[in-house]
Amino acid sequence: LGAETIEAWAQARPVVSVNSPAGRVLIEHGSNGLLVPGGDGQALAEAIIALADDRASALHMALAGRQCYEASFGERGVVDAYGELFARLAREAPRGQSASDNPAQTHQGIEGSKNG
């Protein structure tokens, strides 16, 4: 998933990552981070030096990463994603389903009878 990228974004830090499938899913090169070829230590060093030398770009990428974090992984982003998931599941649920067909409601009923 790229947990290191998400953690860096949460702290508004610029990110340099390997140009891998996970890296490309999260990072838009030059916008919210930098991608370098895997196994290329020289490219990694050059990317880090470039960010150290260009504080404005580093800050821009750090803030863009923080926005990505908030939108997708922050509290509001997660709540919104779950809301969208639940709405989609409700739309796709078969009509006429009884409460006993719903495992969540059945589980609550069992738990309630133990406590009552």
Side-chain angles (χ1 to χ4, degrees), residues 5-15 25-34 51 55-74:
T5 296
I6 296 166
E7 290 171 9
W9 283 351
Q11 301 302 314
R13 300 288 186 245
V15 172
V25 165
L26 294 172
I27 298 172
E28 183 180 330
H29 182 76
S31 175
N32 58 7
L34 296 176
L51 287 176
R55 298 286 184 172
S57 290
L59 178 60
H60 172 78
M61 285 184 218
L63 294 176
R66 177 64 189 191
Q67 288 176 337
C68 291
Y69 169 80
E70 287 293 331
S72 298
F73 305 102

Side-chain angles (χ1 to χ4, degrees), residues 31-115:
S31 175
N32 58 7
L34 296 176
L35 295 169
V36 298
D40 188 342
Q42 182 66 35
L44 176 62
E46 289 172 3
I48 293 170
I49 291 168
L51 287 176
D53 287 346
D54 187 351
R55 298 286 184 172
S57 290
L59 178 60
H60 172 78
M61 285 184 218
L63 294 176
R66 177 64 189 191
Q67 288 176 337
C68 291
Y69 169 80
E70 287 293 331
S72 298
F73 305 102
E75 181 178 349
R76 182 79 262 149
V78 171
V79 168
D80 288 348
Y82 271 111
E84 291 170 15
L85 171 65
F86 295 149
R88 190 190 81 218
L89 292 174
R91 286 190 307 272
E92 295 173 359
R95 299 291 178 219
Q97 185 176 16
S98 71
S100 63
D101 293 336
N102 184 330
Q105 289 181 351
T106 302
H107 179 70
Q108 289 172 350
I110 291 170
E111 291 300 313
S113 66
K114 289 180 184 177
N115 296 328

